[in-house]
Amino acid sequence: MVRLDAIDKELKHRREKLASSLSGSNIKFNNLLKILNLDDQFLKYHRDTAGICEGLREHVPNHVGDILCSDGKKQAFKETLLVSWYDQIVTHMMRVRNEYLDAQSNHNYEFVNHETRSLSGTGAKPDGIVYYGNYIVKDAQAIHILVKATIKEYFDGPSGDALGQMAEYAQHVWQSQPTRVFVPVVFLHSVHVDLVLFARCGYRYARLGRYISNSRNNSRQPTTSVLETIRRLWFFLTLPSEQFGHFVSVTREPHYLRFDGDKRKTTVSCESEESDDSFKITDTIETKVSIHRRAAYLLKVKYQGRDAVLKLSWTPVERQPEGALYDILSREKIECIPEVYRSGIVIPDFLGYRLEYIIMEDCGESLYAAFKKYGPKATMEDSLYAFVCKVVKKVCTCLRQAAEVGVFHRDASPGNITLRDDKVFLIDWGYGKVVLTTLSRRTKNFVNTTWNINLDKITVNEDACDGEIGTVPYMSVQVLMNRTKHHILDDIESVLYVVFAIASYNGADEFLFESLGKNKVDYKDQAIWKVGCMADCDDYLIHFGVSKCNDALRGLLDGLRKALFEKDGVFIGGKRLSTKWY
């Protein structure tokens, strides 16, 4: 019993911590309609569906004290009854909807009670799930709407624990569904039903009203109010997927996507058969997607018979599109940049975030994956040095050329360096930034016009983020300390840490360099740790997890360390912690 209490306490703490990381707000029902651009559609729905809930009037439960009275039965008020009543609502509305909603009757959704079983492939156990009825496998990819129930009543929005639990459920959906715009959760609490939308900005919480009566008498008025709430709820439950949660129809499993329009605004459609302008989704490349803020999905596709990758990215609207940076790099013919076949903006702005797409050549596998296969066979041998030297030379050349035309990468890491057919690529420029003092006026005007953006305004926002951009183990000391604007040497220092990482691979699926830095969660602690390791000129490699090293590789690493951490033969790590070094 003590152990179970400890687990419950830990779960509650985790959920409350997750909830506290989310920005969100309570909004009125009418504002929710405006956000989703559904004002006129709801008015028409409301006119067309008068009487749609009348069949439920005599079945509306009445909550008094700790008792729920329903259909002549009195039962203790508990969550199971809330879900059961929700199921009864859905069953009734599905039966009568064709009388009122002919235009929407083809949307096939299926509600499943999940109180006693977990979501397939996860440990999550939402109280209910609305699935797409045409999906064969009912897993996270088939979820339309989630349902959370509790007998507790929340007047000012859900508690941290309840919100965190809903966010955990939504996280599984975000991870599994690349076409998501937001994840809706129907929140049943006591006699109320509300709607929570989890978007990249965080969440929006809208009250729908009471869906259970709590009157001590059997007056008609409270029941009428309940039926109006149910009608509001049913409006959202009958919307097609492309209007409620996705940017494209996914009622049937999507196999082909078609992109039409220019870079400034692209429309996407889902097709059942392949055409000259559609892209077949062959597989999903596993990536980690958080519950909020930036997100990126990678899907393997076919483009004109060639292997390609489709990248769908959510970024803040005040930041530059990644596709715009690829346009700059391509125009300037920078080495190690993949060919981009098509790109554009799908959603210009949804609650402060932009969705863009990029279709590029297949760049092979990441340095992580490649070295796991290559490294153990050549650990600390001459062939390893040749491999590392090739990668470092090409990546550094790419970074230097990009900086010369006015672009910094700001996120060099083993995951963003890829290899295919003896080629080296530096990908994922989503955290990159433009330096307007270096960028040519002609290129600047081209990008502003093509993408309908303002690089002058965007660059101000990008400058403000210089001290928080990158993958922590590979961020430079100056960036970790937030001491200066980004510099080419910050990117080169990141490459040095990439070398440490691959040279520290132990052949057992672990890069020791990353393991050593995991407990340095604070940026300042990371910076101090790195400087402390670099101060030991004889054994710094050991401190970074590199236990063995041949002379050639050691020479390469010593040269990079000296260029970055010494001046006139004197170690300057301390100065880099306290001043703007560059």
Side-chain angles (χ1 to χ4, degrees), residues 362-422:
D362 187 346
C363 298
E365 57 189 357
S366 71
L367 197 57
Y368 277 130
F371 202 77
K372 285 179 181 179
K373 294 189 299 186
Y374 184 90
K377 300 176 184 177
T379 304
M380 302 313 152
E381 301 294 336
D382 290 341
S383 54
L384 172 63
Y385 168 72
F387 174 78
V388 173
C389 184
K390 172 185 174 181
V391 171
V392 171
K393 181 178 179 180
K394 286 187 173 293
V395 171
C396 287
T397 298
C398 172
L399 291 170
R400 176 183 57 79
Q401 291 176 347
E404 288 174 351
V405 301
V407 179
F408 290 136
H409 188 280
R410 298 197 297 182
D411 193 23
S413 69
N416 293 334
I417 299 171
T418 65
L419 303 101
R420 186 188 188 195
D421 298 335
D422 204 37

Side-chain angles (χ1 to χ4, degrees), residues 31-42 243 350:
N31 289 337
L32 174 63
L33 293 176
K34 289 180 180 179
I35 288 173
L36 300 179
N37 196 28
L38 294 171
D39 311 56
D40 294 339
Q41 191 168 333
F42 178 76
Q243 285 189 296
F350 183 76

Side-chain angles (χ1 to χ4, degrees), residues 165-287:
Q165 190 173 23
M166 287 187 281
E168 285 184 339
Y169 300 156
Q171 167 68 45
H172 292 295
V173 179
W174 270 115
Q175 182 68 51
S176 303
Q177 299 185 9
T179 58
R180 275 288 172 182
V181 177
F182 60 84
V183 178
V185 180
V186 174
F187 183 38
L188 312 174
H189 60 106
S190 185
V191 299
H192 308 278
V193 56
D194 298 329
L195 198 58
V196 188
L197 305 185
F198 289 94
R200 300 320 304 173
C201 64
Y203 70 92
R204 294 294 182 269
Y205 182 84
R207 291 190 175 280
L208 299 185
R210 294 178 181 175
Y211 81 121
I212 293 175
S213 177
N214 63 346
S215 174
R216 293 186 177 277
N217 55 62
N218 293 323
S219 65
R220 179 180 176 83
Q221 187 59 38
T223 302
T224 300
S225 175
V226 167
L227 296 183
E228 180 60 29
T229 297
I230 293 173
R231 193 146 64 117
R232 284 183 172 187
L233 172 64
W234 189 245
F235 170 71
F236 294 109
L237 297 184
T238 56
L239 288 170
S241 57
E242 65 269 27
Q243 285 189 296
F244 197 61
H246 294 264
F247 64 82
V248 68
S249 174
V250 295
T251 304
R252 294 184 181 275
E253 295 185 67
H255 297 292
Y256 301 95
L257 293 178
R258 174 172 175 154
F259 296 84
D260 295 294
D262 57 23
K263 293 179 185 292
R264 292 173 292 182
K265 184 66 175 75
T266 302
T267 58
V268 188
S269 57
C270 180
E271 300 183 351
S272 58
E273 296 182 358
E274 188 172 9
S275 65
D276 291 339
D277 296 320
S278 67
F279 302 90
K280 182 179 180 180
I281 300 173
T282 60
D283 199 3
T284 300
I285 301 173
E286 186 176 349
T287 55

